[in-house]
Amino acid sequence: MTGRIDNIVECDGALVLGGGIAGLFTALKLAPMPVTVLTGARAGAAGSSAWAQGGIAAAMAPDDDWRAHAADTIAAGAGLCDAAIVEMVARDAPDRIADLLDYGAPFDRKADGSIALGREAAHSKARIVHVKGDRDGAEISATLAARATATPSIRLLEGYHAVELAVADGRVTGLFARCGSGAGTRLVLFRARAVILATGGLGALYAVTTNPLEARGEGLGMAARAGAMIADPEFVQFHPTAIDIGRDPAPLATEALRGEGATLIDENGKRFMTAIHADAELAPRDIVARAIHRQITGGHKVFLDCRTAVGLTFAQHFPTVFASCQSAGVDPATQPIPVAPAAHYHMGGIASDARGRSSRDGLWVVGECAATGLHGANRLASNSLLEGLVFGARVAEDVRGLLAAGIDRPVPPAPLLAALQPPPRLLREAMSRHAGLERDASGLMQLLDVIARVEQAGNGEAALLNITATARLVAAAALARQESRGSHWRNDFPATEAQGQRTLLTLATAQAVTQHPTRRAAP
Ligand SMILES: Cc1cc2nc3c(=O)[nH]c(=O)nc-3n(C[C@H](O)[C@H](O)[C@H](O)COP(=O)(O)OP(=O)(O)OC[C@H]3O[C@@H](n4cnc5c(N)ncnc54)[C@H](O)[C@@H]3O)c2cc1C
């Protein structure tokens, strides 16, 4: 199907793309302003949000303080965090948890009725709120989805796959989305004065990932193709302990297990993290993930040993992980869990300011698809759901203040569509091989060749162009960053430069970096 718009829908108020925690929370915060929430799959059930297992970080304990939370975030970020943004997020965190409590989120409590707080890697205090052990993502998503469904100002439209932003006179004025399949596919132009992308991450562009298959970086690609500035795309976090049972996506053994004292061992039962970092298994994610990756590429097998730390309470405290292990015949109470690193979280994204504004008028971004400067080169565990909440509230406040002005919106030409396909296997494998835990110039150049070939084969189809734009931005920024920092490791540039600089680039810059690989992306 090409070039025909079947329907034009005028949205009163704002249009949110994405039904994860970031999109739903933003919509709720916008109420009673009218909001249309579009999502490809079921709101609150699809996307990474529903899969989150660890929890949400907030300095709420009497012996904790937002300053300590901010300091831990900055330490994890390897020199690239925006200190003002980190401070803002750490300060706002307890208020956003209070909002979730108001919406009905059933956080775990202690016997005295206070909220139970867990500890995770690289947090100096216990500050992770959670639900039913490891079910926080599913429970909070379901709570927000139910609340959004019951809110009269929110119109939830599921089953729409967005493929392109509509741009008129330099302003984002809506988006094109397809619905239906085969001969019944229809292309709808949704027009709105404020478009808010909450489309999540890009893990599914990698062959081994913990992310659901809809996390394909499409929102990022759409924004980049519309000329928006992209920040830090080279920083992709790998979760150290995906459960290695050959499933796609790979189920996760939450970091909280290491917080409880679980250890990493090789096939001989030998711990290896104690020789690598003073915090051993609780070292920053990139260090743990790279150590496991090197064990595996060195011919070893790696296991997470929870037998002593969690033991027979496993099923009760970590029901999701327990079920995943059981599906592969592993009893984690009595057997070590086989693990391997997997693409998990994108620190980079569409560049945003403190109000969630992108560099394009009319376009706001929130959640994992945004790059706010909170995470720097490496995300601190449980800060991502928090970022979606804090920026959701801020985007809502900003959009509410701005929507008074009338805007002229001519109808742009329709994009080219083809039947929706999963990301090409060739691309996913090349991303894992060349833009994974270890990178070098020759591999990244090979990856750029693969991206060009995949793009060419797509004949200009819009959804594929979003995916290849995102992959190109990751590869080009990784090529341009000639140092190792945080989650980005270059075998040919292992040193860290004294002065850290964030990456800011457009798709056009990424294309130029591709043509002149020794040039750095413009700061
Ligand atoms: C297994 C796992 C465990 C995690 N555990 C934690 C944790 O404990 N704590 C924490 O802070 N973070 C955790 N994370 C990260 C966190 O879950 C995500 O960063 C966060 O949920 C992102 O929320 P979001 O709303 O931005 O995106 P998502 O929840 O991914 O939602 C994206 C939405 O956009 C929609 N969408 C995307 N593209 C399109 C399109 N083209 N058209 C229409 N709709 C589209 C999707 O259908 C979905 O509704 C975890 C991630 C995973 C994968």
Side-chain angles (χ1 to χ4, degrees):
M1 180 184 147
T2 63
R4 201 188 85 217
I5 301 171
D6 297 296
N7 198 8
I8 298 181
V9 176
E10 300 289 346
C11 302
D12 285 342
L15 174 63
V16 174
L17 180 65
I21 281 180
L24 292 172
F25 191 78
T26 308
L28 286 165
K29 281 284 179 184
L30 278 163
M33 171 190 270
V35 190
T36 300
V37 178
L38 278 191
T39 158
R42 261 190 54 220
S48 294
S49 295
W51 294 15
Q53 291 182 1
I56 308 176
M60 295 174 62
D63 67 340
D64 201 1
D65 182 69
W66 67 263
R67 289 174 199 81
H69 183 184
D72 292 345
T73 302
I74 285 174
L80 290 195
C81 293
D82 180 326
I85 294 289
V86 172
E87 179 172 319
M88 182 189 96
V89 172
R91 272 177 189 269
D92 284 4
D95 287 345
R96 299 294 76 86
I97 301 300
D99 288 340
L100 289 182
L101 284 166
D102 280 351
Y103 291 146
F107 290 121
D108 292 344
R109 292 182 182 267
K110 295 199 281 200
D112 65 4
S114 62
I115 304 269
L117 297 167
R119 173 103 193 260
E120 278 190 340
H123 282 278
S124 57
K125 298 279 178 193
R127 63 166 74 98
I128 315 300
V129 301
H130 45 83
V131 186
K132 295 183 188 161
D134 61 5
R135 286 197 42 83
D136 58 280
E139 299 286 338
I140 296 168
S141 299
T143 302
L144 295 181
R147 184 82 181 206
T149 307
T151 301
S153 58
I154 298 177
R155 171 169 62 162
L156 262 180
L157 298 178
E158 296 168 343
Y160 284 88
H161 184 101
V163 290
E164 197 159 297
L165 292 173
V167 180
D169 302 330
R171 183 181 177 88
V172 173
T173 58
L175 56 78
F176 292 97
R178 57 191 295 161
C179 64
S181 60
T185 303
R186 293 164 55 77
L187 182 66
V188 182
L189 169 59
F190 289 87
R191 305 208 300 166
R193 284 180 292 166
V195 176
I196 302 164
L197 293 184
T199 48
L202 53 56
L205 294 187
Y206 285 81
V208 183
T209 181
T210 63
N211 288 191
L213 285 179
E214 64 260 30
R216 307 172 339 162
E218 289 175 284
L220 194 160
M222 267 183 261
R225 288 172 57 223
M229 190 65 82
I230 305 301
D232 308 328
E234 68 272 36
F235 294 111
V236 178
Q237 186 173 78
F238 284 73
H239 197 288
T241 56
I243 305 175
D244 190 13
I245 47 175
R247 263 170 51 187
D248 179 24
L252 188 67
T254 171
E255 195 129 24
L257 287 162
R258 278 175 285 133
E260 293 288 318
T263 55
L264 288 163
I265 56 173
D266 67 13
E267 69 280 9
N268 301 312
K270 186 170 164 244
R271 272 178 87 181
F272 51 88
M273 281 311 300
T274 41
I276 292 171
H277 195 278
D279 292 334
E281 281 83 0
L282 294 181
R285 273 196 178 164
D286 61 306
I287 292 174
V288 182
R290 211 167 294 119
I292 296 175
H293 172 73
R294 285 178 180 159
Q295 287 284 322
I296 292 170
T297 50
H300 291 283
K301 290 191 164 39
V302 176
F303 300 86
L304 185 66
D305 186 355
C306 308
R307 290 173 294 182
T308 308
V310 187
L312 295 175
T313 65
F314 204 111
Q316 183 196 345
H317 287 136
F318 299 97
T320 310
V321 185
F322 187 75
S324 300
C325 291
Q326 271 208 319
S327 74
V330 175
D331 175 3
T334 58
Q335 292 171 286
I337 307 169
V339 291
H344 184 59
Y345 182 78
H346 195 207
M347 276 73 75
I350 306 153
S352 115
D353 69 10
R355 296 161 297 188
R357 291 185 189 186
S358 77
S359 65
R360 294 308 306 250
D361 282 347
L363 183 67
W364 284 256
V365 292
V366 63
E368 191 170 337
C369 69
T372 63
L374 173 68
H375 306 298
N378 206 6
R379 174 189 68 131
L380 183 64
S382 291
N383 265 353
S384 40
L385 293 173
L386 174 63
E387 183 187 43
L389 301 175
V390 167
F391 278 86
R394 291 193 171 254
V395 165
E397 194 184 328
D398 194 45
V399 167
R400 224 183 288 111
L402 276 185
L403 277 203
I407 295 152
D408 189 32
R409 291 166 295 169
V411 175
L416 182 65
L417 298 185
L420 195 57
Q421 301 287 343
R425 191 81 213 158
L426 176 69
L427 178 67
R428 293 183 76 190
E429 278 168 3
M431 288 290 284
S432 282
R433 195 170 316 118
H434 301 306
L437 276 155
E438 297 186 275
R439 302 154 173 197
D440 61 31
S442 120
L444 289 164
M445 292 300 289
Q446 287 177 53
L447 171 59
L448 284 160
D449 278 349
V450 170
I451 294 168
R453 288 210 314 269
V454 167
E455 194 167 279
Q456 239 170 13
N459 288 324
E461 197 274 321
L464 186 78
L465 286 181
N466 294 331
I467 286 172
T468 52
T470 299
R472 187 187 300 282
L473 283 154
V474 173
L479 189 59
R481 184 171 288 280
Q482 296 180 343
E483 63 161 349
S484 292
R485 181 183 294 277
S487 66
H488 169 78
W489 180 270
R490 287 279 301 254
N491 281 333
D492 46 354
F493 292 99
T496 303
E497 284 181 7
Q499 207 52 27
Q501 248 182 39
R502 292 187 65 193
T503 301
L504 276 179
L505 80 172
T506 60
L507 191 53
T509 325
Q511 269 144 358
V513 170
T514 310
Q515 280 146 21
H516 307 282
T518 51
R519 250 182 57 192
R520 287 198 63 120

